[in-house]
């Protein structure tokens, strides 16, 4: 017989919004409390079948304040920002921005990503544009392979792209001084905002 | 007529053939394109995961450069860039506090917004459609194509404001029809191809691309036309892997600008069709 564990009680009076949801609202301007759980977002989400928690579940969990549970899913990493959820939501919850918010918070708080390769891809890609001012795709593919140990798989695609002349082996610099300056200013501003 | 041209990262690498064919088309139409010298990467699919502020700053910095060039309109062919430019603009407008902070960081104040246009929006004007029609030199009426718009152009529609119906757009169809190419009705026009997961989750991308290609096959298309470098790559390169699983499509994936250029009589050798993974010249030859 399965043991029935105590069902946690959530503070869900009408109009209540959890601290987690409030923080997301303050930082990113999206109100999870608008969601009425119709699941239209999930039925259109192309990646839903690969996700630990569906978009509908994520927004509800945010509303309940289940921060740790949500941050430990692969859902926001798999979100490709296709906008289907947001475009079709009858309540205009802006779920897409909640997905962004979750990734931003997870990175800031050092949560171990449930999709390490995807997290690494974004990280490598971003440090790459910071360095060169533009995307150096061959560099990202190469570095990613080394870091995630998926050399064989990525190289298959990388080699095919090289053969077609779709990747440049040497990086180009594009206004990279300006890019570094912007990264620095943004980091400073974000620290201020997090502190306030 | 002159537009600023945000000829960004992907158009210089994975999408060289997009840039090339686009230049041919705009040259034929006598529309001048000027690249901003001080451009930087707009952060595209990468920045918003780590920092939403950075994701707004990078496109707006580029728009500031364009504003300084004295141009009011910028053409942005990569749909990922287009999407980020539009989202950044709408966020800057939506939040006064953010607006001031952004202006301080990019050291620029916009007197009026720079309008961000996708080449599809430019080419679909009545005037340009008529001109395209008058410039046709090659009969491609045997080609039956499905127009695949993907997601980043049309969604979220409130932000991108792409001048078309977000669930059933027809802009690309109208342009291709104007140069004599038939387009078919189908149900996967705006379904997502998996976009930025190309290298990290090939399993997911293959599943999504095969659904799109299945529907294209079902309606009898011989090729897919796309306006986006992610879509082109995902739909094109994964066909080899899908064939290994027994799903043979052999469906060329063209940039819509390549098809227009061909119809306008630009010879195959001047385009970069050889960069496609699925052989695309056979389909053309079958006709003429
Ligand atoms: S579509 Fe909107 S209202 Fe419906 S479940 Fe999803 S987020 Fe909630
Ligand atoms: S934006 Fe993300 S969560 Fe929303 S439908 Fe697309 S992949 Fe799913």
């Amino acid at each position: 017989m399965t043991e029935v564990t105590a069902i946690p009680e959530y503070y869900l009076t009408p109009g209540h919004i959890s601290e987690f949801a409030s923080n997301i609202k303050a930082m990113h301007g999206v109100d999870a409390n608008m969601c009425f759980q119709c699941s239209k977002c999930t039925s259109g989400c192309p990646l839903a079948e690969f996700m630990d928690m569906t978009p509908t579940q994520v927004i509800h969990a945010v509303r309940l304040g289940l921060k740790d549970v949500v941050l430990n899913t692969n859902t926001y990493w798999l979100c490709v920002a296709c906008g289907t959820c947001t475009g079709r939501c009858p309540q205009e919850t802006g779920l897409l921005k909640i997905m962004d918010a979750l990734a931003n918070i997870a990175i800031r708080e050092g949560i171990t990503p449930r999709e390490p390769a995807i997290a690494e891809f974004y990280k490598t890609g971003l440090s790459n544009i910071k360095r060169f001012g533009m995307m150096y795709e061959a560099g990202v593919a190469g570095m990613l392979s080394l870091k995630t140990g998926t050399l064989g798989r990525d190289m298959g695609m990388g080699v095919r792209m090289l053969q077609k002349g779709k990747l440049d082996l040497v990086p180009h610099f594009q206004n990279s001084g300006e890019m570094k300056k912007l990264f620095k200013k943004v980091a400073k501003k974000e620290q201020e905002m997090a502190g306030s | 007529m002159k537009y600023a041209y945000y000829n960004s990262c992907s158009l210089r690498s994975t999408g060289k053939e997009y840039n090339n064919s686009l230049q041919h088309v705009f040259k034929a139409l006598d529309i001048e394109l000027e690249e901003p010298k001080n451009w930087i990467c707009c952060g595209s699919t990468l920045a918003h995961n780590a920092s939403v502020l950075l994701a707004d700053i990078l496109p707006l910095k580029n728009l500031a450069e364009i504003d300084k060039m004295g141009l009011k309109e910028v053409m942005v062919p990569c749909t990922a860039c287009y999407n980020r430019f539009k989202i950044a603009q709408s966020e800057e407008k939506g939040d006064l506090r953010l607006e001031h902070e952004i202006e301080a960081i990019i050291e620029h104040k916009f007197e009026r917004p720079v309008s961000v246009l996708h080449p599809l929006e430019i080419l679909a004007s009545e005037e340009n459609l008529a001109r395209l029609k008058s410039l046709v030199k090659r009969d491609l009426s045997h080609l039956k194509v499905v127009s695949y718009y993907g997601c980043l152009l049309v969604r979220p529609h409130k932000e991108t404001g792409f001048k078309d119906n977000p669930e059933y757009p027809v802009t690309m169809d109208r342009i291709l029809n104007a140069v004599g190419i038939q387009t078919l009705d189908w149900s996967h026009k705006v379904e997502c191809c998996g976009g930025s997961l190309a290298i990290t989750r090939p399993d997911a991308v293959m599943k999504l691309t095969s659904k799109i290609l299945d529907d294209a096959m079902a309606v009898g298309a011989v090729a897919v036309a796309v306006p986006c470098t992610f879509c082109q790559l995902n739909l094109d390169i994964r066909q080899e892997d899908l064939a290994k699983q027994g799903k043979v499509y052999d469906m060329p994936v063209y940039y819509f600008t390549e098809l227009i250029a061909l119809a306008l009589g630009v010879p195959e050798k001047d385009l970069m069709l050889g960069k496609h993974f699925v052989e695309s010249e056979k389909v053309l030859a079958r006709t003429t």
Side-chain angles (χ1 to χ4, degrees):
Chain A
M1 225 180 94
T2 42
E3 214 175 295
V4 181
T5 45
I7 298 167
E9 267 181 48
Y10 300 112
Y11 186 34
L12 254 196
T13 48
H16 172 77
I17 178 159
S18 68
E19 196 188 328
F20 188 37
S22 305
N23 290 343
I24 290 179
K25 190 176 174 191
M27 280 284 284
H28 302 268
V30 269
D31 188 353
N33 223 27
M34 291 300 289
C35 171
F36 56 32
Q37 292 285 294
C38 68
S39 278
K40 212 174 164 191
C41 46
T42 301
S43 37
C45 175
L47 276 318
E49 62 181 298
F50 301 96
M51 289 170 170
D52 295 338
M53 245 190 195
T54 66
T56 321
Q57 288 169 335
V58 162
I59 195 164
H60 197 53
V62 167
R63 212 188 143 199
L64 293 173
L66 304 178
K67 184 174 167 185
D68 290 344
V69 179
V70 181
L71 291 181
N72 283 300
T73 64
N74 69 356
T75 304
Y76 57 92
W77 289 117
L78 279 177
C79 170
V80 290
C82 75
T84 314
C85 53
T86 302
R88 294 178 185 168
C89 174
Q91 289 293 88
E92 302 192 358
T93 61
L95 189 46
L96 159 64
K97 284 193 192 160
I98 291 187
M99 297 292 175
D100 274 353
L102 293 172
N104 282 210
I105 295 167
I107 292 171
R108 205 171 58 224
E109 301 195 357
I111 307 280
T112 310
R114 286 267 292 113
E115 290 283 337
I118 298 177
E120 191 56 49
F121 171 69
Y122 290 136
K123 199 171 143 202
T124 310
L126 205 59
S127 68
N128 182 288
I129 61 172
K130 180 179 172 187
R131 181 143 167 236
F132 300 114
M134 69 181 283
M135 187 67 173
Y136 169 41
E137 287 160 324
V140 174
M143 265 156 77
L144 191 68
S145 309
L146 290 175
K147 286 191 186 160
T148 60
T150 52
L151 201 71
R153 193 181 70 196
D154 299 337
M155 277 312 172
M157 184 150 162
V159 167
R160 282 188 277 168
M161 288 176 62
L162 277 173
Q163 283 166 345
K164 288 284 179 188
K166 286 196 169 235
L167 291 179
D168 289 330
L169 278 180
V170 273
H172 302 280
F173 286 88
Q174 174 58 40
N175 204 359
S176 52
E178 184 68 57
M179 186 64 113
K180 287 198 193 81
K181 245 175 31 197
L182 289 173
F183 265 75
K184 220 182 251 164
K185 285 192 198 166
V186 168
K188 194 169 152 233
K189 182 93 251 165
E190 280 192 327
Q191 251 168 12
E192 276 171 39
M193 289 185 345
S196 67
Chain B
M1 196 68 216
K2 181 164 154 187
Y3 294 96
Y5 178 31
Y6 188 68
N7 179 9
S8 51
C9 312
S10 66
L11 273 88
R12 294 168 194 256
S13 52
T14 40
K16 281 181 185 140
E17 64 273 40
Y18 189 13
N19 175 38
N20 171 280
S21 53
L22 194 130
Q23 305 264 11
H24 279 290
V25 172
F26 278 80
K27 202 167 154 216
L29 286 171
D30 229 352
I31 298 175
E32 207 186 319
L33 304 174
E34 186 179 341
E35 294 176 15
K37 277 189 208 67
N38 292 328
W39 70 278
I40 45 173
C41 169
C42 73
S44 144
T45 51
L46 302 163
H48 61 97
N49 290 287
S51 160
V52 288
L53 182 60
L54 187 67
D56 288 341
I57 292 286
L58 299 180
L60 291 167
K61 177 71 190 171
N62 282 299
L63 291 176
E65 289 302 321
I66 290 156
D67 203 15
K68 285 182 214 156
M69 286 161 73
L71 292 171
K72 293 185 202 69
E73 292 164 308
V74 58
M75 177 166 82
V76 182
C78 167
T79 59
C81 302
Y82 175 88
N83 184 286
R84 295 319 312 184
F85 274 80
K86 288 292 186 80
I87 289 181
Q89 277 185 322
S90 76
E91 283 181 7
E92 193 220 11
K93 268 181 283 174
D95 186 338
L96 206 63
R97 182 189 58 136
L98 203 62
E99 186 181 321
H100 294 315
E101 277 159 6
I102 289 174
E103 280 172 1
I105 293 178
I106 65 173
E107 295 169 12
H108 184 79
K109 187 170 171 42
F110 291 97
E111 297 303 334
R112 43 164 170 63
V114 175
S115 35
V116 176
L117 298 166
H118 190 270
L120 281 174
E121 292 173 302
I122 296 174
L123 296 177
S125 74
E126 290 308 325
E127 189 200 337
N128 283 336
L129 283 180
R131 291 186 61 208
L132 282 172
K133 213 177 213 162
S134 72
L135 291 169
V136 173
K137 297 219 172 57
R138 180 174 176 180
D139 180 16
L140 291 177
S141 57
H142 63 285
L143 284 184
K144 285 203 184 100
V145 169
V146 283
S147 304
Y148 175 65
Y149 298 77
C151 26
L152 296 172
L153 201 56
V154 292
R155 282 191 304 256
H157 197 243
K158 219 173 141 193
E159 271 96 11
T160 74
F162 179 68
K163 297 184 188 74
D164 204 340
N165 183 321
E167 294 289 350
Y168 198 81
V170 292
T171 306
M172 202 188 330
D173 298 76
R174 288 178 63 218
I175 298 169
L176 293 173
N177 296 161
V179 296
I181 295 167
Q182 298 180 59
T183 57
L184 303 166
D185 281 332
W186 68 314
S187 60
H188 281 58
K189 281 187 167 183
V190 295
E191 291 298 315
C192 170
C193 71
S196 50
L197 302 179
I199 334 179
T200 48
R201 284 298 296 264
D203 57 325
V205 169
M206 276 161 70
K207 196 154 183 189
L208 299 178
T209 48
S210 76
K211 282 189 203 161
I212 295 163
L213 293 166
D214 280 340
D215 194 45
M217 287 270 265
V219 299
V222 297
V224 183
V226 298
C228 163
T229 44
F230 285 99
C231 302
Q232 202 287 333
L233 185 64
N234 277 341
L235 289 175
D236 191 14
I237 198 168
R238 288 297 168 197
Q239 287 189 43
E240 199 181 305
D241 306 305
L242 288 165
K244 285 188 200 132
Q245 298 178 354
K247 290 182 177 163
V248 181
Y249 297 102
D250 209 12
M251 175 90 65
V253 184
Y254 296 97
Y255 287 105
F256 73 102
T257 43
E258 291 174 324
L259 291 173
I260 303 171
L262 287 163
L264 300 189
V266 176
E268 264 107 316
K269 65 169 175 39
D270 292 350
L271 297 170
M272 297 177 162
L273 300 178
K275 288 200 180 293
H276 295 187
F277 292 95
V278 176
E279 220 270 280
S280 53
E281 288 176 74
K282 259 190 309 200
V283 172
L284 296 167
R286 231 179 268 161
T287 68
T288 30

